[in-house]
Amino acid sequence: MAEVLGVDPAGIERAAAILRAGGLVAFPTETVYGLGANALWAEAVAKVFAAKGRPSFDPVIVHVADPGEAAKLWREVPPLAQKLMERFWPGPLTLVLPKQDVVPDIVTAGLPTVAVRMPAHPVALALIREAGVPIAAPSANRFGRLSPTHHEAVLEQLGEAIDAVLAGGATPVGIESTVVSLVENPPRVLRPGGTPIEALREYIPDLRVEPPQGPSASPGTLPRHYRPSTPLFLWERGAPAGGEALERSRCGFLAFQQAWEGFAQVEVLSARGDLVEAAARFFALLRKLDRAGLAAIVAEPVPERGLGLAIMDRLRRASSGRARLDETRVWIVR
Ligand code: TXA
Ligand code: MG
């Protein structure tokens, strides 16, 4: 059962220690409770998805205690972002900009951008400062359930799944932050929320609010969103039945627990068969294989339980089909 911590200095110190050790702490923000993990530690963030029971990875918002910290996560801070931070931070406005390499891929679900906000809640700010790291946090609810606006609601849904909750009572805003993408020109509201559009329009007169069409539409729900540039095939058991074949020595292999023979490059998701670790490493290893100049990538399916469901969801979207193997070749199943 989660530790219930008071929002005094002792409670905040304890919560920060749990975060630094890779644990999960739910904490109040001005919008809703967030389920926090050290944003710079992929495996800690993977635990957030496991605790929420999310069937898929979604990009997660990173919480910082001042604009200077955001600048360390984004590749650059355009003048418009600077102005919006000055006017709306701390507060329920999340800004999306290209990320730096320190942000693990699991935080952004493989996207090249990261969403960052500075919450306007004294407990959240004290926690981030005490932890000394940015905190990745989706809303602290189980998948598909309502966002919690009181620590009792967090305990009801996630009490068994997390390490601690900071008992801050009711959250003042109660709906999530407004998410604005500054990657698009003109900028676009990806999710309406706690910062009104009208207030944003004073700074961004041509701000778009209609849902995005085409390739930028809701990340994580597009069937082909995660497809690498190297063709990827899901390995299936069975003898090859003819068709097109590639030499194994020109292909890469994404393995679950054990390296396989004969491939040009093999990456192992988790030698100890831990799906949380596998999820934490998944996007990064897939990108590594994708950059290796291979003819194809073959991926071994992982068990479809826990975070394995999310991994398989991404693998299916990433794949161009299935492949069978013989000793030396990869046979594409058409
Ligand atoms: O108020 C809030 O924003 C709360 C508190 C805890 O801060 N957090 C929250 O997180 O609502 P979550 O994970 O439930 O929602 C995050 C939203 C999703 O709609 C997600 O798609 C979007 O932000 N998002 C995150 N990173 C993104 C990115 N790199 N590009 C586009 N959208 C992104
Ligand atoms: Mg949510």
Side-chain angles (χ1 to χ4, degrees):
M1 194 63 192
E3 286 178 50
V4 180
L5 303 170
V7 294
D8 48 23
I12 285 165
E13 240 172 70
R14 171 81 188 124
I18 292 171
L19 288 174
R20 280 195 302 268
L24 301 186
V25 177
F27 63 97
T29 78
E30 81 280 30
T31 59
V32 301
Y33 274 73
L35 178 53
N38 179 346
L40 304 182
W41 191 351
E43 204 167 320
V45 178
K47 288 187 204 161
V48 170
F49 293 102
K52 284 185 65 117
R54 270 196 183 180
S56 64
F57 304 130
D58 271 329
V60 174
I61 295 170
V62 178
H63 298 69
V64 296
D66 64 72
E69 267 188 76
K72 293 182 200 156
L73 304 172
W74 289 326
R75 202 144 355 110
E76 60 180 333
V77 181
L80 177 59
Q82 195 61 48
K83 267 195 259 172
L84 293 171
M85 290 191 288
E86 276 164 23
R87 166 65 181 81
F88 293 102
W89 283 14
L93 176 65
T94 298
L95 299 174
V96 175
L97 279 166
K99 79 178 186 81
Q100 292 197 32
D101 289 344
V102 291
V103 181
D105 286 323
I106 191 165
V107 170
T108 66
L111 293 172
T113 56
V114 62
V116 184
R117 82 181 194 95
M118 176 182 177
H121 194 293
V123 173
L125 292 173
L127 178 65
I128 300 164
R129 290 195 180 112
E130 183 70 29
V133 290
I135 298 178
S139 47
N141 49 278
R142 287 194 65 81
F143 174 72
R145 301 274 305 272
L146 293 178
S147 297
T149 55
H150 195 284
H151 61 265
E152 294 294 351
V154 175
L155 284 168
E156 217 171 87
Q157 293 193 37
L158 294 172
E160 305 295 327
I162 65 179
D163 297 302
V165 58
L166 278 162
T171 58
V173 174
I175 55 164
E176 291 96 334
S177 62
T178 303
V179 181
V180 174
S181 169
L182 298 180
V183 178
E184 294 185 58
N185 192 14
R188 188 191 295 278
V189 174
L190 299 178
R191 180 182 72 183
T195 297
I197 305 299
E198 296 76 7
L200 290 167
R201 280 245 158 85
E202 289 174 28
Y203 295 79
I204 321 172
D206 54 354
L207 179 67
R208 293 181 290 184
V209 292
E210 70 284 2
Q213 309 283 320
S216 61
S218 39
T221 60
L222 292 175
R224 295 165 61 107
H225 188 71
Y226 298 91
R227 195 158 289 188
S229 51
T230 312
L232 181 140
F233 300 95
L234 264 180
W235 172 66
E236 71 174 18
R237 277 168 210 284
E244 188 192 340
L246 299 163
E247 293 303 316
R248 263 200 205 204
S249 58
R250 296 178 51 228
C251 296
F253 192 73
L254 182 65
F256 177 40
Q257 278 188 266
Q258 271 180 308
W260 288 34
E261 299 288 300
F263 288 93
Q265 186 171 338
V266 178
E267 300 296 340
V268 177
L269 286 168
S270 172
R272 59 175 197 264
D274 177 354
L275 289 164
V276 172
E277 182 185 41
R281 290 158 54 80
F282 174 71
F283 281 116
L285 292 185
L286 199 51
R287 286 215 319 205
K288 196 170 166 191
L289 286 167
D290 197 24
R291 283 194 299 254
L294 301 158
I297 300 165
V298 181
E300 180 184 14
V302 303
E304 292 204 58
R305 56 183 154 76
L307 289 194
L309 273 179
I311 295 169
M312 285 307 294
D313 170 73
R314 289 303 176 274
L315 273 179
R316 289 201 179 92
R317 289 188 218 192
S319 73
S320 314
R322 291 161 295 137
R324 294 184 176 190
L325 301 177
D326 66 18
E327 257 82 280
T328 59
R329 278 163 299 182
V330 173
W331 295 84
I332 315 304
V333 178
R334 296 284 178 202

